[in-house]
Amino acid sequence: MSGLLWAIIKTLCVILLAPLMAGWVKWLKCRLQNRRGAPPWQPYRDLLRLSRKNVVIAESASWIFRMAPYIVFSVTCLAVSTVPVVTVQLPVAALADVIALVGFLALGRFFLALAGMDVGTAFGGMGSSREVTISSLAEPALLMAFFTLAMNVSSTNLSTVIGELGRRDLTLYPSLIFAAMGLVLVAIAETGRIPIDNPSTHLELTMIHEAMILEYSGRHLLLMEWASMLKLTLFSLLIVNLIVPWGVALTLAPADLAFAALIVTGKLMLWGMMLAVSETIQAKMRLFRAPQYLGLAFILSMLGMMSHIVLEVR
Amino acid sequence: MTLAIAEAAVILALLSAVVPAVLFAHPRLLSRLAFVLLGAAGLAACVAGGQALLSQTSQQVVLPLGLPWLHVSLVLDPLAGLFLFIVGLITCMAACYGPAYVLEYLHQEMGPGILAVFSGLFVSGMFLVLLAADAFSFMLAWELMSVASYFLVVFQHAKLENQRAAFIYLLMAVVGGTFLFLAFGILAGFSDGFSFQTMKGTTLSPTWASLAFVCAFIGFGLKAGIVPLHVWLPLAHPVAPSHISAMMSGVMLKVAVYGFIRFVYDLLGGITWQWGVALLLVGSASAILGVLYALMQHDLKRLLAYHSVENIGIIYIGLGLSMIFQATHHAEIAALALIAALYHCLNHALFKSLLFLGAGAVLQQTRQHDMERMGGLIKKMPVTAVCFLVGCISISALPPFNGFVSEWLTFQAALQGPLLKSGILGAMIPVAAAILALTGALAAACFVKVFGIVFLGLPRCEDIARAKDPSLGMQLSQIVLAVACLAFGIFPTWTVRALNGVTEGLLGNGLTSAIDNGWLWLTPVSPQTASYGAPAVFFGLLASWLIVYALLHPLRRDNRIRIAPPWDCGFGPLNARMQYTASSFAMPIRRVFSFLWLIVEKVEPGGPGTPPRYILRVNDRIWLALYVPIGKLMLKLAERTSYIQGGNLRVYLSYSFFTLLFLLWVIV
């Protein structure tokens, strides 16, 4: 029972701190571009403002449009609850493995894309069409990267994967390097960052995620925005904990947990910096270049899997 | 007792085919009665199959029918029971759906009567295929199923396109039947007799066994619709009445899968890994090409038919994995993969029938086949929309619905690939897993398109305004199937326990570890390796939704929602033609995978008074590359040989006589 409590506390912490992560990346990006930038806690203010506003809904919208924000948000929360953050000793990890995690995210995206098409404007359909194209290429690459890790430790359970990788010495596994590269590429695409999508644009030629949620307002928009920040945090957590698994506590001892929390925060901040730098030094891709980018991610992950089978299985 | 219920199901189905002969003067009464009998037959089959599956017993009976030296024998074991359950369930739902759907045929000459005759024969044929315990009655039932379904396909024969579809279907069925004859012939030749019991006992030399396997693979594959033998499927399934499409796509393909499993696992035995590789390759090709072709379709029912190709591919991937693991002596994993395949058979029957029934309701209400002319139906047909959405989520393999569970199990089996310790095999399995992942993602994209274009947005033609939810029976059948999709997704452990009986019969061992950890956890290999708590996921989703909703809706606050026109960028009112269409929605994917299709795209410039036209045709490369040359060759050969056709009866009789003489000479 205490395990369950811990899991709920962990999930809540991640949910509450997700806007800070998004704000941190945004702030860093502004500094790198010689702008003053809003403080990292600005997203909280935005969310608060949205929560106070009334909702405006288009007359052509159906219940899908109203329900989608709740589904998207709760599915993302559920996905977060299965990811080990500071410790691998959590009972909730058995609830769903990496395949189910990808499934949760896909379910959220399914409703997000439907919501985009619900109102019947050109923008919504455009965003949905682009989103499903990109995700239908990104999702298999993500699964392949996960499978490579899973085959390495012969488990698809995230806790087991992270715990097992964390216990290992610093041996060079070619498969893990390929998988890590694939994972990073996919994570950038899935969270809608540059070079695939730009979270801060509303230009009709380029926007993807923003086009789908263009009709949202008030608390619905709050949920959509928060869910996308949560998704950024979720993928950041996956990257830092899967690629650099050291520091995640293997027990439930308070000292270990505190230390692990510190380490994870550090890793997340570092990853945020890398994201900000990469977003500053490169431009957004043309939409039809994205398949090549995602194809690369897919091939890298496949190579990881192949090299695991060819080189590492004895 | 169980077998007696199954026999009753067959007799009821046959009775429903006889009714029109008695009541031909009262079409309305006739169609009601025929559907009641058909529903009863479905229910009986469902009960018998379920009992056989759960009790895990096998019963056999020899009927005093058939040839003098070969009586028809029937057997009901867990494998037959599982498929009988599936066929019965879907038949029952189709019978519940049918009466209101066929109303539009009432005024046709012989409409409902013909439909009832061939529906009854079709269903009884399927039941008999599942129950048959000797090759002779199996083939008889198989051909009954094929021929009856041909007449159902050609039912609306006024359209030239339907005639062509039915002809191609018949042609393929004949070719498939021939291969099955050869396959059973090889088995029967080495064992003395046609009964399955003696066939099981004989072991063939590897060459003959492989030859029999290839024949069965082609024969059953033709009916199951694997690539490249799928071409009849997207033509034939959409043109039948929708409840028949639901049965053909949801169930008849499963009967072919049943036949294949029965033949290879049960009768032939001695599975080698090469067979598994063949299945894995063909399954992967079917899965990916099926979904990609589906993405390019605008005809709702044809799109669904292409998705059947995809799902059969997924089932074949599962079967291929199980054969590879079985041949390399990893019995546990082989059982896991087989259970995944069987589970997907059940799931596909449920959600594909659901989707076809939903598509039928849309068709009946809007009179439109073309998705480009639909839109906004969610407001006109709320119940159909919800059920259709459930079907879309299930087929896209999203949790917590049933499609996810079977794909998850398939992935778990594929992830055990490193156990094989063989470079080539070890490298093949990840490729199959990658294709499965890509297929799932593309299927989700396709069903976003389907639901978004058909049910959401603004109506694209005037007929939509008159649409409303269909009659109660049609709604009920959809609701039952939608609930079943959810139930089989939330309680996978019970399903796996039932399926265990089938694998125990076929492979000699089940997958006990999967359900060791209680009903809550599905743990295919071990709890450390992978686990999925489907009920917990479902209730977790519900709980987090409720919490979020409650937090955002404090009781005393002003929660008013303002309804306003959508944002039009300040340019004036939006209209339905400004929305994305099905073609434009799929355009990015069409561009990414453009090398796979033969795309003809042109714009005809408009003149004064005529608007410009955009024409897009996406052709099946396989049809052009494989079937058109064969067709041309056949025509040429037919021309060459036509001189022996004198048109004189005596000449033909003498041909038969000399052929018979020749055959006698060969045998002696």
Side-chain angles (χ1 to χ4, degrees):
Chain A
M1 208 55 217
S2 73
L4 194 64
L5 198 66
W6 272 115
I8 291 173
I9 291 173
K10 174 210 78 176
T11 312
L12 281 180
C13 282
V14 176
I15 292 171
L16 289 177
L17 291 176
L20 196 61
M21 176 78 195
W24 165 248
V25 176
K26 206 181 249 174
W27 180 76
L28 278 175
K29 217 169 116 181
C30 286
R31 303 304 296 195
L32 284 169
Q33 293 168 353
N34 272 335
R35 293 183 282 145
R36 194 187 299 144
W41 49 89
Q42 179 64 28
Y44 290 107
R45 294 178 181 160
D46 293 342
L47 293 180
L48 201 65
R49 175 173 53 87
L50 285 175
S51 77
R52 292 201 188 113
K53 293 219 169 204
N54 267 0
V55 176
V56 185
I57 284 184
E59 53 209 3
S60 46
S62 71
W63 56 266
I64 294 268
F65 186 80
R66 287 170 158 216
M67 220 172 76
Y70 295 98
I71 295 184
V72 172
F73 188 76
S74 51
V75 160
T76 319
C77 290
L78 201 64
V80 165
S81 74
T82 63
V83 178
V85 179
V86 291
T87 175
V88 294
Q89 295 286 338
L90 282 180
V92 195
L95 186 77
D97 61 349
V98 274
I99 306 174
L101 177 76
V102 174
F104 290 151
L105 295 176
L107 181 66
R109 191 164 42 230
F110 190 86
F111 276 94
L112 183 62
L114 284 185
M117 300 179 79
D118 193 15
V119 177
T121 61
F123 279 132
M126 187 180 74
S128 302
S129 164
R130 290 174 178 178
E131 172 82 5
V132 298
T133 307
I134 289 189
S135 66
S136 63
L137 298 170
E139 198 186 296
L142 180 64
L143 269 177
M144 282 298 109
F146 280 152
F147 285 171
T148 310
L149 297 170
M151 278 192 174
N152 249 293
V153 298
S154 59
S155 165
T156 55
N157 203 328
L158 267 178
S159 282
T160 320
V161 174
I162 293 175
E164 198 64 32
L165 290 177
R167 273 185 209 103
R168 283 190 184 169
D169 327 326
L170 261 173
T171 325
L172 187 67
Y173 287 96
S175 64
L176 292 188
I177 293 171
F178 281 123
M181 291 198 286
L183 191 60
V184 169
L185 290 183
V186 175
I188 287 173
E190 285 266 2
T191 49
R193 312 297 299 193
I194 290 174
I196 297 296
D197 190 8
N198 188 348
S200 55
T201 183
H202 281 95
L203 186 66
E204 60 267 31
L205 289 177
T206 56
M207 62 180 169
I208 300 174
H209 181 261
E210 294 300 318
M212 286 187 289
I213 62 171
L214 205 57
E215 285 290 328
Y216 276 110
S217 56
R219 56 176 178 271
H220 292 162
L221 184 59
L222 171 141
L223 287 175
M224 286 296 194
E225 293 282 0
W226 204 341
S228 81
M229 293 177 200
L230 205 52
K231 204 170 163 190
L232 173 69
T233 314
L234 171 75
F235 272 97
S236 308
L237 274 173
L238 280 174
I239 284 182
V240 301
N241 278 352
L242 281 172
I243 299 178
V244 194
W246 302 282
V248 180
L250 302 176
T251 60
L252 272 177
D256 278 5
L257 287 184
F259 181 66
L262 212 63
I263 298 266
V264 165
T265 315
K267 284 194 287 191
L268 280 179
M269 286 172 77
L270 209 63
W271 165 247
M273 269 182 215
M274 286 158 71
L275 207 57
V277 170
S278 101
E279 293 210 335
T280 306
I281 58 174
Q282 56 184 339
K284 192 187 160 299
M285 265 180 200
R286 230 156 58 81
L287 181 68
F288 288 109
R289 287 278 304 286
Q292 289 171 22
Y293 171 97
L294 292 165
L296 176 68
F298 189 70
I299 297 291
L300 282 173
S301 311
M302 274 298 285
L303 275 179
M305 205 162 185
M306 293 288 182
S307 56
H308 171 68
I309 285 168
V310 176
L311 301 175
E312 294 163 17
V313 174
R314 277 170 302 276
Chain B
M1 183 58 200
T2 321
L3 193 55
I5 301 176
E7 284 166 20
V10 177
I11 291 168
L12 280 168
L14 284 174
L15 268 184
S16 84
V18 179
V19 167
V22 190
L23 284 173
F24 58 88
H26 313 282
R28 199 175 282 265
L29 181 66
L30 169 164
S31 124
R32 283 272 161 79
L33 189 62
F35 276 117
V36 167
L37 285 171
L38 204 62
L43 204 62
C46 207
V47 169
Q51 264 186 15
L53 184 63
L54 294 178
S55 66
Q56 313 203 346
T57 51
S58 172
Q59 292 182 353
Q60 189 156 10
V61 69
V62 179
L63 299 180
L65 292 169
L67 301 178
W69 42 273
L70 182 69
H71 289 310
V72 171
S73 56
L74 303 179
V75 71
L76 185 59
D77 58 358
L79 176 64
L82 168 68
F83 283 88
L84 201 61
F85 173 76
I86 296 175
V87 178
L89 183 65
I90 305 302
T91 305
C92 200
M93 290 303 118
C96 180
Y97 181 92
Y101 189 76
V102 299
L103 281 181
E104 61 177 300
Y105 306 129
L106 273 184
H107 308 295
Q108 279 179 23
E109 195 187 350
M110 304 190 306
I114 291 288
L115 202 60
V117 170
F118 290 108
S119 305
L121 289 177
F122 174 51
V123 169
S124 55
M126 287 197 289
F127 288 162
L128 281 171
V129 168
L130 300 176
L131 293 172
D134 62 281
F136 193 77
S137 40
F138 184 94
M139 282 314 297
L140 217 58
W142 182 268
E143 295 298 342
L144 178 65
M145 177 180 90
S146 293
V147 174
S149 56
Y150 162 76
F151 285 102
L152 292 171
V153 170
V154 83
F155 177 65
Q156 285 157 304
H157 56 86
K159 279 190 205 150
L160 211 60
E161 162 200 349
N162 296 7
Q163 288 179 22
R164 178 170 169 264
F167 178 68
I168 290 173
Y169 172 51
L170 192 65
L171 215 65
M172 300 293 261
V174 169
V175 175
T178 313
F179 275 101
L180 288 189
F181 267 119
L182 292 176
F184 278 116
I186 292 171
L187 271 187
F190 284 95
S191 59
D192 43 316
F194 287 98
S195 108
F196 284 174
Q197 202 63 46
T198 53
M199 284 181 180
K200 270 181 219 179
T202 34
T203 41
L204 272 61
S205 71
T207 324
W208 280 110
S210 293
L211 202 62
F213 170 80
V214 169
C215 286
F217 187 47
I218 297 175
F220 289 115
L222 264 164
K223 189 60 95 186
I226 52 174
V227 169
L229 308 174
H230 68 283
V231 287
W232 63 271
L233 200 152
L235 296 174
H237 285 191
V239 302
S242 292
H243 62 292
I244 302 294
S245 313
M247 276 205 273
M248 286 181 72
S249 225
V251 181
M252 190 178 73
L253 306 184
K254 305 296 141 18
V255 173
V257 173
Y258 160 82
F260 188 63
I261 294 176
R262 171 72 75 198
F263 190 90
V264 175
Y265 284 84
D266 203 17
L267 304 183
L268 197 54
I271 292 166
T272 68
W273 62 265
Q274 287 93 338
W275 301 355
V277 169
L279 253 74
L280 208 58
L281 284 177
V282 168
S284 306
S286 303
I288 190 73
L289 290 177
V291 69
L292 281 171
Y293 278 114
L295 263 164
M296 292 304 123
Q297 301 302 318
H298 313 155
D299 182 320
L300 184 53
K301 282 173 79 178
R302 179 163 301 160
L303 181 146
L304 293 177
Y306 267 116
H307 270 287
S308 295
V309 177
E310 175 221 329
N311 280 287
I312 289 292
I314 295 173
I315 293 169
Y316 268 56
I317 289 178
L319 289 179
L321 286 173
S322 106
M323 285 188 186
I324 291 175
F325 283 113
Q326 177 71 10
T328 49
H329 309 292
H330 295 95
E332 272 283 282
I333 312 297
L336 168 62
L338 185 59
I339 282 181
L342 293 173
Y343 205 145
H344 202 72
C345 282
L346 170 68
N347 290 343
H348 179 239
L350 291 174
F351 54 62
K352 186 48 67 66
S353 311
L354 171 60
L355 289 169
F356 263 115
L357 295 185
V362 169
L363 209 68
Q364 190 198 36
Q365 294 295 323
T366 64
R367 315 251 152 225
Q368 300 291 344
H369 282 269
D370 192 354
M371 283 166 55
E372 307 282 34
R373 298 180 60 77
M374 298 175 187
L377 278 170
I378 193 169
K379 293 201 177 120
K380 302 287 176 186
M381 312 172 71
V383 177
T384 310
V386 172
C387 295
F388 202 86
L389 182 64
V390 169
C392 289
I393 299 177
S394 306
I395 198 173
S396 309
L398 298 174
F401 287 85
N402 60 357
F404 176 75
V405 180
S406 44
E407 282 202 22
W408 188 80
L409 288 171
T410 313
F411 275 131
Q412 292 299 343
L415 282 177
Q416 302 301 317
L419 283 178
L420 294 175
K421 305 209 170 26
S422 147
I424 299 172
L425 280 181
M428 282 216 38
I429 288 176
V431 175
I435 285 179
L436 193 57
L438 188 59
T439 306
L442 286 170
C446 189
F447 279 93
V448 168
K449 169 183 125 170
V450 172
F451 194 81
I453 299 289
V454 175
F455 287 96
L456 303 180
L458 302 173
R460 293 181 178 80
C461 77
E462 305 84 59
D463 292 328
I464 307 280
R466 287 192 298 275
K468 58 182 193 305
D469 259 325
S471 76
L472 219 56
M474 287 170 76
Q475 286 185 30
L476 184 71
S477 51
Q478 294 181 55
I479 293 171
V480 170
L481 286 172
V483 170
C485 279
L486 187 61
F488 281 105
I490 299 183
F491 303 111
T493 36
W494 295 339
T495 320
V496 170
R497 178 170 301 152
L499 294 179
N500 249 335
V502 181
T503 52
E504 267 161 22
L506 290 178
L507 303 174
N509 70 301
L511 189 67
T512 44
S513 64
I515 41 179
D516 275 350
N517 296 280
W519 63 279
L520 194 55
W521 305 106
L522 190 63
T523 50
V525 186
S526 72
Q528 286 78 38
T529 306
S531 58
Y532 174 54
V537 164
F538 179 66
F539 291 111
L541 263 178
L542 272 187
S544 60
W545 181 356
L546 283 178
I547 291 169
V548 172
Y549 191 84
L551 282 179
L552 281 178
H553 289 76
L555 287 174
R556 285 183 305 280
R557 228 185 52 198
D558 177 18
N559 279 322
R560 261 176 309 172
I561 288 180
R562 193 155 65 85
I563 307 291
W567 167 236
D568 56 12
C569 306
F571 280 101
L574 298 167
N575 66 38
R577 291 176 62 85
M578 293 177 186
Q579 297 175 89
Y580 255 48
T581 60
S583 323
S584 54
F585 190 86
M587 183 267 175
I589 295 179
R590 189 166 71 235
R591 187 159 162 172
V592 174
F593 294 97
S594 58
F595 55 94
L596 279 171
W597 305 283
L598 209 66
I599 300 174
V600 184
E601 190 178 17
K602 60 184 173 198
V603 180
E604 284 177 359
T610 51
R613 281 169 60 84
Y614 169 76
I615 297 165
L616 173 73
R617 212 169 287 128
V618 180
N619 295 316
D620 197 332
R621 263 187 203 279
I622 294 169
W623 176 257
L624 296 171
L626 198 64
Y627 288 85
V628 171
I630 291 180
K632 277 187 186 154
L633 188 73
M634 291 313 266
L635 275 182
K636 213 171 264 175
L637 281 178
E639 262 171 37
R640 289 273 168 81
T641 52
S642 62
Y643 71 90
I644 63 166
Q645 294 177 325
N648 192 329
L649 188 62
R650 273 169 300 174
V651 179
Y652 290 140
L653 280 177
S654 62
Y655 286 152
S656 311
F657 177 68
F658 285 113
T659 312
L660 211 61
L661 270 189
F662 174 73
L663 286 178
L664 280 174
W665 176 70
V666 166
I667 292 170
V668 173

